[in-house]
Amino acid sequence: GAVVSQHPSRVICKSGTSVKIECRSLDFQATTMFWYRQFPKQSLMLMATSNEGSKATYEQGVEKDKFLINHASLTLSTLTVTSAHPEDSSFYICSAELGTARTDTQYFGPGTRLTVL
Amino acid sequence: QKEVEQNSGPLSVPEGAIASLNCTYSDRGSQSFFWYRQYSGKSPELIMSIYSNGDKEDGRFTAQLNKASQYVSLLIRDSQPSDSATYLCAVASSANTNAGKSTFGDGTTLTVKP
């Protein structure tokens, strides 16, 4: 159980285009999902917390107009990188929260590797 | 001071040895503690979770939690080359604005040499 999928796994796009990444919890409902970014050989960086039916909460320094997050259902959250540029090239990983507030376990998707040319 | 601190490593152990990974945290209200394993180029994978003081064992892995000293550790017995990865410590507090939001350490890179 506790499987999280992401699509696409890899995307290459031209500078200036927008890219949408989907994160799905396959066998559980997730009220809360998280979006991370990770550059090579660096640690996970939390970008935003996505709550079903409400606006996402962005971490300091993350542009909400550039990284659009929609959590339309209990099993799906999307991250759209708008007007992508080469510096946005990174490994984007989502996670979904399973359990009660006592357990708070996050399960990660397999990640999406974005390359902006 | 970082909220969750780990030795960056790299930590190198011979095959068959015990690997010991340590993590300290600053928030005394923390209630949930996790260890994730991340292979190069892959996303993190949950290995262990622990919520109470003491030891929790799962196969070759043992998590140890000491809330008074604010540290959590992960022991890997009979280390295998396939255990070579970066290990992330994560800590969550229900007192956080986003209950369940974990704070991650920067990770410790472990290399197990055959």
Side-chain angles (χ1 to χ4, degrees):
Chain A
V3 178
V4 178
S5 70
Q6 268 183 256
H7 178 80
S9 59
R10 186 180 295 270
V11 59
I12 300 173
C13 68
K14 293 182 179 180
S15 185
T17 60
S18 293
V19 175
K20 179 185 281 189
I21 303 170
E22 292 187 349
C23 177
R24 293 181 185 271
S25 54
L26 298 184
D27 52 0
F28 66 101
Q29 293 184 328
T31 305
T32 304
M33 292 184 174
F34 302 90
W35 287 96
Y36 295 84
R37 180 167 56 182
Q38 188 175 38
F39 293 105
K41 299 191 184 300
Q42 293 189 24
S43 59
L44 286 175
M45 188 194 84
L46 179 65
M47 299 176 67
T49 302
S50 169
N51 294 298
E52 186 267 338
S54 63
K55 291 183 178 180
T57 302
Y58 290 82
E59 295 298 302
Q60 191 173 8
V62 178
E63 299 175 59
K64 62 180 181 180
D65 294 330
K66 179 168 183 65
F67 299 100
L68 301 178
I69 292 172
N70 183 278
H71 194 153
S73 76
L74 288 172
T75 59
L76 173 64
S77 177
T78 61
L79 167 68
T80 301
V81 183
T82 62
S83 186
H85 289 92
E87 58 265 28
D88 298 322
S89 299
S90 187
F91 191 40
Y92 291 86
I93 313 171
C94 74
S95 72
E97 180 185 280
L98 171 65
T100 66
R102 177 71 175 92
T103 56
D104 313 330
T105 305
Q106 288 186 43
Y107 291 89
F108 286 87
T112 296
R113 193 162 301 282
L114 171 64
T115 303
V116 185
L117 303 177
Chain B
Q1 181 187 7
K2 290 184 179 179
E3 293 181 50
V4 178
E5 293 208 50
Q6 297 181 249
N7 292 329
S8 61
L11 173 66
S12 181
V13 300
E15 183 174 358
I18 296 175
S20 178
L21 305 163
N22 299 313
C23 172
T24 58
Y25 59 94
S26 59
D27 183 0
R28 282 196 171 275
S30 301
Q31 298 186 13
S32 307
F33 307 86
F34 309 92
W35 282 100
Y36 290 85
R37 176 177 62 198
Q38 186 176 23
Y39 291 114
S40 180
K42 303 294 185 182
S43 67
E45 170 193 14
L46 181 67
I47 298 176
M48 294 279 286
S49 58
I50 186 167
Y51 309 102
S52 304
N53 280 327
D55 295 0
K56 179 181 178 182
E57 186 175 317
D58 183 1
R60 296 186 295 112
F61 299 98
T62 299
Q64 299 174 318
L65 175 61
N66 184 322
K67 290 186 178 180
S69 300
Q70 294 176 245
Y71 85 78
V72 57
S73 62
L74 179 70
L75 300 178
I76 306 175
R77 290 182 300 281
D78 188 23
S79 296
Q80 301 297 308
S82 59
D83 294 326
S84 298
T86 297
Y87 289 80
L88 302 170
C89 171
V91 176
S93 167
S94 61
N96 283 349
T97 301
N98 291 306
K101 171 181 162 182
S102 292
T103 301
F104 284 81
D106 289 342
T108 298
T109 299
L110 170 68
T111 300
V112 180
K113 295 185 175 181

